[in-house]
């Protein structure tokens, strides 16, 4: 069992709980007792983190906070499988955190939930990956500081592919063929996560499509995406896919323990997988789909935000600047000591010796060549709507076109809310 197995939350699934879920209430903020009357008031600051699976992460975040001399910073390390719901519900209460990690979301900018951090980032803006800056920028202002970039791709056992005389797949058709040849009595050909939702963004990108276009209109409803959904349905029903893994895609144990020959996962798992499998480990991007498709690597990751509706906005911004702008040693430690992530700061990434050779260097190259970033306008409700497409047309036998039509209606409602 890997270190990641301690977390039972599919923590980097692109399908996060819809913002609307929290409006109904009934979800209390979760975490350690701060010893103060409310989460975001008093003499200290409160920060929210989801429970990372990598060993040592909780201790590291608390160690950084303890080193900050200008305020007492309390960390709520939120375990369980619904970090988003707990975060959103807490933001509606007096228990709201001053600082929290999340992903860039236009809805949170439009509602005034997250503070403009341009003044913190502008002096070092050129040291950040431009795509990370773009994905956090609205009307020229930057909301949130990227902490880590998390490229996702397929891992595979080289020896298993060699034994079955299977080449590394470059198209989705080839992946289906490989899965069939690699499936034996106890080993399934491929694992794409327990409900296939982990690959929904790569499915869109590899079909040559996108979530939204530059005019903030639907861009995922294409013939290529329909074809991809049909292929995933074939995979799902083929008997060549691991469907009941003990843990989900974020955990490397399915491949490490020999349950499958190919597994979808993230760069964060690489150190644990290399320790288990050594040189028998390889990686490849999500394969191309259809005639206009291209291989893709989805970049997940986490960013730090300041609660603009909190009582300690200035103090929170000062802390965030100290930790995520000024303290490069802590930023490097966070990205490279508890799993592998790509530092969003170019100066740190350039000095990251752990990523300079072997499989980590290959992962960085895949990220550079094939990487796709989140669109800040494709919000929670939209992601959940596409989640339903996967459920209907892949896990069930629904018509992909009809499922996408239903998704379109939901997404257009959200787009109208955001853009009028």
């Amino acid at each position: 069992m890997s270190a990641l197995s301690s977390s039972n939350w599919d923590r980097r699934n692109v399908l996060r709980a819809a913002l609307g879920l929290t409006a109904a209430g009934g979800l209390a903020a979760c975490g350690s007792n701060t010893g103060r009357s409310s989460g975001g008031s008093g003499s200290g600051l409160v920060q929210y983190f989801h429970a990372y699976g990598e060993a040592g992460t909780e201790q590291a975040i608390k160690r950084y906070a303890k080193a900050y001399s200008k305020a007492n910073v309390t960390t709520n390390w939120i375990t369980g499988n619904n970090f988003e719901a707990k975060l959103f519900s807490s933001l509606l209460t007096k228990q709201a955190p001053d600082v929290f990690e999340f992903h860039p979301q236009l809805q949170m900018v439009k509602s005034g939930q997250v503070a403009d951090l341009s003044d913190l980032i502008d002096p070092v803006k050129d040291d950040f990956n431009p795509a990370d800056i773009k994905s956090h920028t609205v009307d020229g202002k930057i909301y949130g500081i990227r902490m880590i970039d998390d490229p996702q791709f397929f891992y595979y056992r080289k020896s298993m592919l060699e034994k079955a005389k299977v080449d590394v797949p470059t198209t989705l058709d080839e992946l289906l063929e490989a899965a069939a040849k690699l499936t034996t009595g106890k080993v399934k050909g491929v694992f794409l996560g327990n409900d296939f939702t982990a690959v929904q963004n790569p499915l869109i990108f590899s079909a040559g499509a996108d979530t939204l276009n530059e005019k903030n209109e639907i861009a995922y409803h294409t013939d290529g995406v329909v074809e991809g959904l049909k292929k995933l349905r074939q995979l799902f029903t083929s008997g060549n896919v691991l469907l009941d893994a003990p843990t989900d895609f974020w955990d490397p144990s399915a491949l490490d323990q020999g349950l499958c020959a190919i597994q979808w996962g993230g760069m964060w798992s690489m150190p644990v997988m290399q320790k288990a499998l050594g040189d028998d480990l390889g990686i490849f991007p999500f394969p191309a789909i259809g005639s206009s498709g291209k291989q893709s690597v989805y970049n997940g990751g986490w960013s730090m935000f300041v609660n603009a509706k909190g009582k300690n906005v200035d103090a929170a911004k000062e802390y965030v600047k100290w930790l995520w702008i000024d303290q490069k040693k802590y930023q490097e430690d966070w990205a490279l000591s508890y799993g592998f992530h790509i530092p969003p700061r170019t100066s740190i990434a350039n000095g990251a010796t752990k990523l300079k050779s072997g499989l980590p260097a290959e992962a960085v190259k895949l990220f550079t060549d094939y990487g796709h970033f989140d669109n800040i306008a494709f919000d929670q409700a939209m992601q959940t709507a596409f989640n339903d497409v996967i459920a209907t047309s892949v896990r069930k036998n629904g018509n992909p076109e009809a499922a996408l039509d239903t998704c379109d209606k939901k997404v257009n409602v959200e787009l109208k809310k955001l853009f009028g």
Side-chain angles (χ1 to χ4, degrees):
M1 188 75 90
S2 76
L4 282 163
S5 301
S6 61
S7 170
N8 65 356
W9 179 46
D10 181 348
R11 64 194 184 82
R12 291 184 175 81
N13 192 332
V14 293
L15 301 160
R16 305 164 193 118
L19 277 164
L21 290 176
T22 62
L27 288 166
C30 168
S32 57
N33 181 8
T34 66
R36 289 182 278 111
S37 59
S38 66
S41 63
S43 60
L45 299 170
V46 172
Q47 60 180 359
Y48 269 31
F49 277 79
H50 80 279
Y52 285 69
E54 295 94 328
T57 46
E58 181 179 6
Q59 294 79 6
I61 282 295
K62 291 180 176 178
R63 186 172 71 249
Y64 310 154
K66 191 175 181 180
Y68 186 61
S69 60
K70 293 187 178 180
N72 172 36
V73 182
T74 302
T75 302
N76 280 17
W77 190 256
I78 298 175
T79 58
N81 61 358
N82 56 350
F83 167 72
E84 285 87 350
K86 290 174 180 176
L87 170 65
F88 294 148
S89 63
S90 75
L91 289 172
L92 300 174
T93 72
K94 292 180 180 179
Q95 262 63 38
D98 302 289
V99 175
F100 58 91
E101 68 167 358
F102 201 56
H103 320 277
Q105 293 272 304
L106 182 59
Q107 192 277 342
M108 299 185 90
V109 175
K110 294 264 189 180
S111 66
Q113 186 69 70
V114 292
D116 174 10
L117 303 183
S118 303
D119 56 328
L120 311 187
I121 301 172
D122 278 342
V124 293
K125 183 177 175 181
D126 291 343
D127 191 36
F128 276 86
N129 185 321
D132 280 322
I133 295 293
K134 181 183 178 182
S135 67
H136 291 70
T137 300
V138 179
D139 296 331
K141 296 178 180 179
I142 305 169
Y143 298 85
I145 302 176
R146 195 65 153 183
M147 301 182 294
I148 47 175
D149 283 325
D150 279 336
Q152 300 175 16
F153 32 68
F154 279 110
Y155 288 95
Y156 68 96
R157 297 282 291 269
K158 292 179 179 179
S159 59
M160 289 185 177
L161 269 67
E162 287 169 8
K163 185 177 179 182
K165 297 181 180 177
V166 170
D167 293 329
V168 174
T170 58
T171 68
L172 192 54
D173 282 329
E174 290 174 0
L175 182 65
L176 266 73
E177 293 169 10
K181 291 177 182 176
L182 290 163
T183 298
T184 61
K186 294 181 179 179
V187 181
K188 294 295 185 181
V190 65
F191 177 49
L192 296 95
N194 281 328
D195 64 5
F196 278 51
T197 57
V199 299
Q200 78 167 35
N201 272 11
L203 171 75
I204 293 169
F205 301 139
S206 282
D210 208 337
T211 50
L212 302 172
N213 64 21
E214 291 182 357
K215 295 180 181 178
N216 293 307
E217 299 165 335
I218 288 169
Y220 57 76
H221 194 154
T222 67
D223 291 344
V225 170
V226 170
E227 181 181 339
L229 289 166
K230 290 177 179 177
K231 300 287 185 191
L232 286 188
R233 174 64 184 172
Q234 286 180 39
L235 255 180
F236 185 78
T237 58
S238 66
N240 303 323
V241 180
L242 180 63
L243 297 175
D244 53 357
T247 55
D248 215 334
F249 82 101
W250 49 262
D251 186 299
S253 58
L255 193 74
D256 289 357
Q257 296 175 5
L259 303 179
C260 60
I262 299 173
Q263 173 181 343
W264 184 253
M267 190 174 175
W268 59 83
S269 296
M270 193 172 284
V272 171
M273 298 180 91
Q274 285 186 301
K275 187 175 180 180
L277 302 174
D279 293 335
D280 194 28
L281 186 66
I283 56 174
F284 63 92
F286 197 93
I289 301 167
S291 57
S292 60
K294 299 176 182 176
Q295 295 176 95
S296 72
V297 171
Y298 169 64
N299 177 52
W302 292 88
S303 307
M304 188 51 55
F305 298 89
V306 169
N307 179 10
K309 297 180 179 180
K311 297 178 180 179
N312 305 305
V313 176
D314 290 340
K317 285 180 66 175
E318 195 173 352
Y319 169 65
V320 164
K321 177 183 181 297
W322 174 82
L323 180 51
W324 298 110
I325 297 291
D326 300 339
Q327 302 301 315
K328 282 193 170 185
K329 284 189 177 179
Y330 290 151
Q331 293 160 40
E332 181 179 10
D333 182 65
W334 187 240
L336 298 167
S337 296
Y338 315 97
F340 286 162
H341 315 265
I342 297 178
R345 300 282 293 271
T346 306
S347 58
I348 298 174
N350 287 345
T353 54
K354 291 179 180 179
L355 306 182
K356 294 296 184 189
S357 61
L359 205 61
E362 197 177 326
V364 172
K365 189 174 189 315
L366 292 184
F367 168 78
T368 304
D369 293 348
Y370 302 109
H372 290 261
F373 288 68
D374 283 316
N375 185 324
I376 193 170
F378 200 70
D379 69 12
Q380 298 300 117
M382 298 181 203
Q383 293 167 28
T384 302
F386 202 94
N387 182 192
D388 293 340
V389 173
I390 300 289
T392 301
S393 59
V394 177
R395 301 204 305 275
K396 300 173 187 175
N397 196 25
N399 182 294
E401 281 285 3
L404 286 168
D405 287 341
T406 301
C407 181
D408 291 350
K409 291 175 184 176
K410 295 176 183 176
V411 170
N412 279 323
V413 168
E414 292 301 309
L415 290 172
K416 191 170 183 179
K417 287 179 189 175
L418 290 173
F419 301 106

